[in-house]
Every structure is written in structure tokens, then in C-alpha cells.
């Protein structure tokens, strides 16, 4: 393992498991040698077998509600376990899936990334190595087997990569999103296990001020859960921001569509960016929980706030602990000086309760992909 890979491994909490350490663990199948040229035939078959192995990088999306996390476990349903079953059914032999980022039970992914090594062999002539499958074939076939059972996991992209490219060690940056629903109304059936419902009103501007304290390079020991395997609590938080978005998980209303057509802009602000005034377009649907008549059979919407956290790597439960503090600031239970005190305390006992898993989404894993 090179020094760069060691550095990445030490920094990366969300992929600090020990199941994926065999970077070059590639299955192989050796053809039978010709009886007249035993030694030469064996060398040729080994060469063909190695050449027939293709490493694929693939992105997946999943609803984490019914998974016991991403990493494979013997007695639980996990993301990697389900993926390995689908790939094995596709190619007819066991495979090992390596995941870029570990997610806990109940955490969702808009785009997590994995890699797998596949050797394509002939079904008519056992042992004969065939050219690798095209990426679109892999995606279509694996999704076929995934969708035959539960439909809470899907492969969304596939590409061929060199055999030394690793989904975990080559990751340059990870982005997480956290959804909070603010308002007294009960959570919609469509939002169950998809967001953290906070009945109180959240102060968006106060939460943004708290982000300015936490963004950057710090000792995040106060935001590091017990059991963290990272060697250092120091991390560089490239972005920590909060914005308000249209609170629709499925189909936008007429009013939502009108707003979207007005060149609606998001707010991925960092510590260098000024917060927009309260009258800006980011204050959305603040009146939807009022007592005004909205018509029979129509649900009053919550305010939906999204926290964005972006870094090369995170400590164990760091994002959920950060969101817990931001929520406490939003409700008025913590002040900005309190946030500074918690950060400087460098102990988990100083922080607020951790946000639940249901609102957390792994949004993106970035790479410098080879051509």
C-alpha cells in the first residue's frame, strides 16, 4: 500500500471497516492445459485468466430503512450483502464488493460507490475466459436481480476502471445531506424514516452562524462517537451549510412548480458567504403551518431544512453529531458561544444528542477518474 493510500485509510472514518483491506483480492479461474504442452499451457491459461478479470466501479442508491448498514454481516440484511448476492447470480460465482463509504443502519444513499472484480467465463465451455461485459450490461443485469426481491437498492452507474483503482482509497471527497422537517404537523406517510421531524420552529440564520464556527480544520473529538477507528480526530470540514428547500419528497404542487420556474437558486454557502436576508427566496412555505384555510384534503407542509457537510473523510457519527448541535441552535437551546465551547471541549460528553439516522443521506463520492 502506498503512502497516499495509508494516509487516506487513516483519515477515512466512513470507510474504516476492515472487510475491504484486500485491494487485489480477485477471483480467478484457470483453464485446463493442453496435454502436449502442460507447462506452457498452464502459463497461457493463467495469463488469460488474469487478463479476463475486469474491475468495475459502480454507483448505487438505496433507502437505508430496511438495511442493517452497508457492511456485510452474516445474520443481517446489508447493502454489500445484497449486492454480492445479485452479482453472484449474474456471473455464476462468488464476488467481493468493496464499498467507498460505510453507512449505518437507517442511513440512505443518493450515490454511494463500490467496486467489484468480474471474470467473464463461457457457460458452454467451462474454464474459457471471454471478453469483459460492457458496463451497461452489468448495470442492467445486476438491477434485474436486485429488483426481483426488494426495490430499495439500485445500481445507477457503472464504468470500467484499472485493477489498482480502489473505490475506498481513491475517494477524494464525500458529501452528506441531512433533512430536517420543522413544524407541529405529523410527518407525512411519504416522509416516514426519510427525515428528522422537529416540532419546534428552527432559526435558519442562527444555524448558519453556528456552521461558521464548525467549518474548517479542527480537532473534532467532541463530534466523534465511541468506537471510532480513526487514528486522529482532526478533520477538515470543507463545507457545512444549511438551506431551506421546497418540502416535497415526491410531486411538486402548482405553487412549487411556479417557484421552480422562477430560476430557484439553492444556498450551498460556506463560512465565507454572507447569509441572505430573511426576505430572500430561501424562506419557503413559512406560512404552511398557520391556521389559514388551505382547502379540504390538503396537507399543511413543514419547513424543510437541508444540512450539507462536505469533506475528504468524516469521523464515526460526526455528521449526525454536528446536526444535533445545529438543531439545538435552531431551537434556541444552544447559543453560538455554546457551540464554540463544545468544539473546544474536545470530548463527546460536551455535545448535544446525536441526530437520528433517518435524515442522513450520503450524497456524493468524488474521484479523479482515469480516462
Amino acid at each position: 500500500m502506498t503512502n497516499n493510500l495509508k494516509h487516506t485509510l487513516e483519515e477515512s472514518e466512513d470507510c474504516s471497516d476492515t472487510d475491504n483491506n484486500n485491494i487485489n483480492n480477485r477471483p480467478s479461474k484457470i483453464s485446463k492445459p493442453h496435454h502436449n504442452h502442460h507447462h506452457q499451457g498452464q502459463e497461457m491459461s493463467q495469463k488469460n485468466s488474469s487478463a479476463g478479470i475486469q474491475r468495475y466501479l459502480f454507483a448505487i442508491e438505496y433507502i437505508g430503512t430496511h438495511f442493517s448498514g452497508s457492511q456485510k454481516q452474516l445474520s443481517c440484511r446489508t447493502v454489500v450483502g445484497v449486492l454480492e448476492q445479485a452479482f453472484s447470480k449474474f456471473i455464476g460465482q462468488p464476488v467481493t464488493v468493496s464499498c467507498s463509504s460505510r453507512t449505518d443502519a437507517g442511513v440512505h444513499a443518493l450515490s454511494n460507490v463500490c467496486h467489484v472484480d468480474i471474470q467473464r467465463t463461457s457457460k458452454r465451455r467451462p474454464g474459457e475466459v471471454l471478453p469483459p461485459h460492457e458496463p451497461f450490461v452489468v448495470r442492467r443485469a445486476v438491477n434485474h436481480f436486485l429488483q426481483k426481491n426488494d426495490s430499495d437498492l439500485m445500481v445507477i452507474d457503472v464504468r470500467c476502471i484499472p485493477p489498482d483503482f480502489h473505490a475506498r482509497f481513491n475517494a477524494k471527497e464525500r458529501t452528506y445531506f441531512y433533512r430536517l422537517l420543522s413544524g407541529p404537523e405529523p410527518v407525512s406517510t411519504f416522509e416516514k424514516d426519510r427525515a428528522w421531524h422537529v416540532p419546534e420552529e428552527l432559526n435558519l440564520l442562527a444555524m448558519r452562524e453556528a456552521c461558521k464556527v464548525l467549518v474548517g480544520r479542527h480537532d473534532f473529538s467532541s463530534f466523534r462517537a465511541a468506537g471510532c477507528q480513526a487514528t486522529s480526530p482532526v478533520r477538515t470540514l470543507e463545507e457545512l451549510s444549511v438551506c431551506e428547500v421546497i418540502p416535497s419528497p415526491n410531486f411538486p404542487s402548482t405553487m412549487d412548480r411556479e417557484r421552480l420556474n422562477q430560476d430557484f437558486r439553492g444556498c450551498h454557502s460556506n463560512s465565507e458567504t454572507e447569509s441572505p436576508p430573511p426576505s430572500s427566496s430561501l424562506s419557503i412555505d413559512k406560512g404552511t403551518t398557520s391556521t389559514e384555510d388551505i382547502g379540504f384534503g390538503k396537507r399543511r407542509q413543514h419547513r424543510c431544512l437541508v444540512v450539507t457537510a462536505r469533506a475528504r473523510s468524516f469521523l464515526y457519527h460526526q455528521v449526525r453529531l454536528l446536526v444535533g448541535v445545529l438543531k439545538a441552535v435552531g431551537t434556541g437551546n444552544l447559543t453560538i458561544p455554546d457551540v464554540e465551547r463544545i468544539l473546544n471541549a474536545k470530548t463527546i460528553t460536551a455535545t448535544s444528542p446525536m441526530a437520528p439516522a433517518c435524515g442522513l443521506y450520503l450524497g456524493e463520492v468524488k474521484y479523479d477518474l482515469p480516462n
Side-chain angles (χ1 to χ4, degrees):
M1 186 182 295
T2 65
N3 290 332
N4 289 337
L5 295 188
K6 288 181 180 178
H7 175 70
T8 305
L9 175 59
E10 289 175 355
E11 280 201 345
S12 183
E13 169 277 324
D14 44 13
C15 46
S16 61
D17 56 282
T18 57
D19 294 337
N20 301 327
N21 289 337
N22 295 325
I23 303 176
N24 295 316
N25 180 20
R26 294 177 285 181
S28 61
K29 222 179 224 184
I30 301 176
S31 304
K32 291 183 179 180
H34 193 280
H35 66 279
N36 290 331
H37 306 280
H38 178 80
H39 182 67
Q40 182 181 3
Q42 188 175 28
E43 288 181 346
M44 289 295 294
S45 62
Q46 288 175 340
K47 183 178 179 180
N48 290 339
S49 176
S50 177
I53 296 174
Q54 176 63 59
R55 177 163 289 190
Y56 295 92
L57 191 72
F58 62 98
I60 54 175
E61 63 180 13
Y62 51 87
I63 300 169
T65 306
H66 300 299
F67 288 105
S68 297
S70 59
Q71 292 310 114
K72 190 174 181 179
Q73 302 177 42
L74 293 178
S75 58
C76 301
R77 183 174 185 261
T78 66
V79 173
V80 168
V82 170
L83 283 170
E84 288 184 351
Q85 290 178 2
F87 272 97
S88 296
K89 290 179 180 178
F90 166 43
I91 65 173
Q93 58 181 315
V95 300
T96 298
V97 169
S98 298
C99 206
S100 70
S101 304
R102 184 171 62 183
T103 57
D104 292 330
V107 176
H108 318 292
L110 304 176
S111 181
N112 200 345
V113 181
C114 310
H115 79 252
V116 66
D117 293 330
I118 294 179
Q119 183 187 58
R120 183 186 178 193
T121 56
S122 173
K123 294 181 180 180
R124 295 182 179 179
R125 299 177 181 177
E128 180 183 353
V129 177
L130 302 176
H133 294 285
E134 292 294 329
F136 78 90
V137 174
V138 176
R139 176 183 175 182
R140 183 176 60 189
V142 174
N143 278 334
H144 167 75
F145 290 108
L146 288 173
Q147 302 307 308
K148 286 184 70 174
N149 298 313
D150 298 289
S151 57
D152 50 3
L153 170 62
M154 178 177 287
V155 176
I156 59 176
D157 204 357
V158 181
R159 72 180 301 168
C160 296
I161 53 173
D164 60 346
F165 191 94
H166 199 281
R168 174 183 171 189
F169 299 133
N170 287 95
K172 300 297 183 183
E173 190 176 78
R174 296 168 173 86
T175 300
Y176 284 87
F177 301 112
Y178 197 99
R179 297 181 71 237
L180 302 103
L181 297 179
S182 172
E185 287 289 315
V187 174
S188 166
T189 303
F190 295 102
E191 289 283 14
K192 184 181 178 182
D193 299 322
R194 304 289 197 276
W196 183 11
H197 178 215
V198 179
E200 302 96 333
E201 182 75 11
L202 291 173
N203 185 330
L204 178 59
L205 296 183
M207 295 171 72
R208 285 179 175 161
E209 289 300 314
C211 288
K212 295 178 182 179
V213 175
L214 297 167
V215 76
R217 186 171 181 83
H218 303 287
D219 181 331
F220 282 103
S221 293
S222 295
F223 301 91
R224 179 186 191 183
C228 181
Q229 299 177 12
T231 57
S232 171
V234 177
R235 290 292 183 273
T236 301
L237 198 54
E238 300 290 349
E239 177 183 357
L240 185 65
S241 62
V242 189
C243 66
E244 188 169 354
V245 300
I246 293 174
S248 177
N250 38 61
F251 306 105
S253 66
T254 301
M255 187 177 297
D256 292 336
R257 290 195 296 272
E258 290 175 354
R259 287 179 177 139
L260 287 170
N261 289 333
Q262 293 172 0
D263 193 24
F264 176 77
R265 66 181 181 89
C267 70
H268 293 287
S269 59
N270 56 30
S271 59
E272 304 295 327
T273 306
E274 293 184 0
S275 299
S279 59
S280 74
S281 63
L282 297 174
S283 270
I284 304 169
D285 292 330
K286 278 195 173 184
T288 55
T289 57
S290 68
T291 57
E292 64 181 279
D293 184 13
I294 60 172
F296 178 75
K298 295 182 179 179
R299 167 176 287 278
R300 298 183 189 279
Q301 292 182 322
H302 298 84
R303 292 181 64 203
C304 183
L305 273 58
V306 175
V307 177
T308 301
R310 179 169 53 86
R312 177 167 186 164
S313 62
F314 293 87
L315 300 168
Y316 185 43
H317 286 167
Q318 182 181 353
V319 178
R320 290 167 61 187
L321 288 164
L322 289 168
V323 173
V325 166
L326 293 179
K327 177 261 185 184
V329 171
T331 57
N333 292 329
L334 289 178
T335 63
I336 302 304
D338 289 330
V339 177
E340 295 173 345
R341 173 184 54 79
I342 291 171
L343 179 63
N344 294 328
K346 297 181 176 60
T347 173
I348 186 65
T349 58
T351 194
S352 297
M354 183 170 63
C358 61
L360 184 60
Y361 297 73
L362 174 56
E364 183 181 11
V365 185
K366 281 192 175 182
Y367 300 90
D368 290 334
L369 289 174
N371 294 326

